[in-house]
Amino acid sequence: MSAMIRIVSVEHGLSPACEIQKALAHTDYQVATTSAENLFTDIAGTHPDAILLPLSLPDCIAVIGRLRSLGPHAIILIAQHDEPLAQALAAGADDYLLAPVSAPLLHHRIHHAITYQRHATTIHELKSQLDAAEAARVRAESASQDFCRDLSHDLNNTLTGMIMTAEMLLMEKPSERTTRVLQEMIELADEIDSSIKTRRAAMSNQP
Amino acid sequence: MSAMIRIVSVEHGLSPACEIQKALAHTDYQVATTSAENLFTDIAGTHPDAILLPLSLPDCIAVIGRLRSLGPHAIILIAQHDEPLAQALAAGADDYLLAPVSAPLLHHRIHHAITYQRHATTIHELKSQLDAAEAARVRAESASQDFCRDLSHDLNNTLTGMIMTAEMLLMEKPSERTTRVLQEMIELADEIDSSIKTRRAAMSNQP
């Protein structure tokens, strides 16, 4: 993961923000603290990768819901043993840690939750790319079919003209030598016609 | 998520397997229990979506590492408060729950961990599909060019033969009418050749 991971830790009452600051010191993470009051202004400006949120925050479920709708950041709860986690996770939080926070566990869960959010973003992007690529493939395949159909059609008209010209002269009973040459030319024109048909059939059968 | 989620819960010593069974009763999950001894045989046969593993299992870190290498199943640890989680998570476990297990939390974390594992699989599949679509587009784009090139190649000998046949007869000074027809046929043969060349050139200049 990139070295520029931005984390916002929300301070509230007896929340272990200081403990978290210490746990994340000497890491590649860029950690900022904020208050519940300034949280939404702050994240609008900084677009953090992860937000650490004390579950003791007033209206925490509503805050989580609003945060979830704002971007692909990871939301990690810092909870006390007796706090109810399930509702907060159902509201959109990605993960949780119980206080006192263990530094290695905090690192691991931040990494995991950011990866989860990035995967979701990646899937969304890949689906868009796949839709575009499929549309381009369909366009290219139909352009190719149209091209070959039009070319075959043009060549067919010319060949028909050629054969008709030869056949009209043949009806006038020309010399034996001319008759032989004209018949040979008609055969060659038929050969060209069947070459075109074979090539088109081969193209239609391609995977 | 589909109704056929398969979960394997590993029983060990005082592990809360019974508690887990109770928490997952009346859900859409299909829950089976196994022992540490039978774990690998069992999952080879059933391909579960998630494995619930007591962290108290002997050699748990090694078991997690081996499970991780075996498939895209989610690995969720059931831990006591005093057990070290970070190393087990670093070894490849997706998530953890502290005993006593809360039923809503267990449901949520199973769902989350399975989604996490499925995201990785989905990304892999989408990338393959994207590569296939890109390759098909490139093939379709070059198909028209290939068609022209192959057709030019196929027709070249026939057209040359046709023109030479007509020119040989022209050298014998046939009747004015025959001369006109032969000249017309030579023109038509040239037209076929130049039709293909014009189309190829127009296509190369397309954006």
Side-chain angles (χ1 to χ4, degrees):
Chain A
M1 229 176 258
S2 118
M4 277 302 292
I5 302 267
R6 282 180 305 258
I7 294 169
V8 166
S9 172
V10 183
E11 291 182 322
H12 172 68
L14 295 170
S15 80
C18 172
E19 196 184 312
I20 287 167
Q21 287 273 29
K22 218 188 307 175
L24 296 179
H26 316 297
T27 64
D28 288 336
Y29 300 144
Q30 185 186 311
V31 188
T33 54
T34 189
S35 62
E37 291 70 33
N38 296 326
L39 172 59
F40 289 99
T41 318
D42 277 13
I43 65 163
T46 56
H47 301 289
D49 298 285
I51 299 162
L52 305 178
L53 202 67
L55 186 50
S56 58
L57 215 65
D59 292 324
C60 194
I61 304 299
V63 170
I64 292 165
R66 196 170 152 202
L67 282 175
R68 182 74 298 148
S69 70
L70 284 178
H73 39 238
I75 304 169
I76 300 171
L77 303 169
I78 310 296
Q80 305 300 319
H81 279 285
D82 54 354
E83 287 177 324
L85 280 160
Q87 201 193 346
L89 291 168
D94 294 289
D95 213 328
Y96 65 95
L97 281 151
L98 295 180
V101 168
S102 131
L105 202 54
L106 179 59
H107 292 182
H108 189 277
R109 300 322 284 178
I110 288 173
H111 183 279
H112 186 87
I114 290 175
T115 304
Y116 185 91
Q117 284 301 325
R118 289 190 177 170
H119 276 181
T121 308
T122 302
I123 286 173
H124 184 76
E125 286 168 359
L126 282 172
K127 280 182 176 167
S128 299
Q129 286 172 30
L130 184 58
D131 285 348
E134 287 287 359
R137 176 188 62 76
V138 169
R139 270 198 310 277
E141 280 175 359
S142 110
S144 166
Q145 290 286 349
D146 290 353
F147 175 87
C148 297
R149 187 199 56 220
D150 292 350
L151 181 56
S152 300
H153 183 77
D154 285 0
L155 299 183
N156 195 50
N157 282 347
T158 313
L159 284 171
T160 306
M162 193 179 261
I163 292 169
M164 277 173 66
T165 307
E167 281 174 347
M168 270 165 64
L169 184 54
L170 280 175
M171 282 165 72
E172 294 168 22
K173 311 264 180 216
S175 71
E176 202 179 317
R177 167 89 176 108
T178 302
T179 302
R180 217 168 43 240
V181 166
L182 289 173
Q183 277 164 348
E184 195 177 325
M185 291 183 81
I186 289 171
E187 274 166 33
L188 289 169
D190 283 338
E191 209 171 282
I192 290 172
D193 188 50
S194 75
S195 274
I196 295 169
K197 285 190 178 125
T198 308
R199 281 283 166 200
R200 275 199 80 181
M203 202 180 61
S204 306
N205 293 334
Q206 265 175 18
Chain B
M1 227 175 256
S2 120
M4 277 303 293
I5 302 266
R6 282 181 304 257
I7 296 170
V8 166
S9 173
V10 182
E11 292 183 320
H12 171 69
L14 296 170
S15 80
C18 173
E19 195 183 313
I20 286 167
Q21 288 273 31
K22 218 189 308 178
L24 296 180
H26 314 298
T27 65
D28 288 337
Y29 300 143
Q30 185 185 311
V31 189
T33 54
T34 188
S35 63
E37 291 70 33
N38 295 327
L39 173 59
F40 290 99
T41 318
D42 276 13
I43 64 163
T46 57
H47 301 289
D49 299 284
I51 299 160
L52 305 178
L53 202 67
L55 187 51
S56 58
L57 216 65
D59 292 324
C60 194
I61 303 299
V63 170
I64 292 165
R66 197 172 151 201
L67 283 175
R68 182 73 299 149
S69 71
L70 285 179
H73 40 237
I75 305 168
I76 300 172
L77 303 169
I78 310 295
Q80 306 299 319
H81 279 286
D82 54 353
E83 286 176 327
L85 281 160
Q87 202 193 344
L89 290 168
D94 294 289
D95 213 326
Y96 65 95
L97 281 152
L98 295 179
V101 169
S102 130
L105 202 55
L106 178 60
H107 292 182
H108 189 277
R109 299 322 283 177
I110 287 173
H111 184 280
H112 186 87
I114 290 175
T115 305
Y116 186 90
Q117 284 301 325
R118 287 189 178 173
H119 275 181
T121 308
T122 302
I123 287 173
H124 185 75
E125 286 168 359
L126 284 172
K127 281 183 176 166
S128 299
Q129 288 170 25
L130 188 58
D131 285 348
E134 291 282 2
R137 178 187 58 77
V138 169
R139 266 200 313 276
E141 280 176 358
S142 74
S144 300
Q145 291 282 356
D146 293 350
F147 181 77
C148 285
R149 186 200 56 217
D150 293 347
L151 197 56
S152 286
H153 184 259
D154 286 355
L155 301 189
N156 193 46
N157 285 346
T158 316
L159 287 170
T160 307
M162 193 179 261
I163 293 169
M164 277 175 67
T165 307
E167 281 173 347
M168 270 166 64
L169 185 55
L170 279 175
M171 282 165 73
E172 293 167 22
K173 309 264 181 219
S175 73
E176 202 179 315
R177 167 89 177 110
T178 302
T179 301
R180 218 168 42 240
V181 167
L182 289 173
Q183 277 165 349
E184 195 177 325
M185 290 185 80
I186 289 171
E187 275 166 30
L188 289 169
D190 281 338
E191 208 173 281
I192 288 174
D193 190 49
S194 76
S195 267
I196 299 173
K197 285 190 177 126
T198 309
R199 289 261 175 197
R200 278 188 82 176
M203 196 176 46
S204 306
N205 294 334
Q206 266 172 17

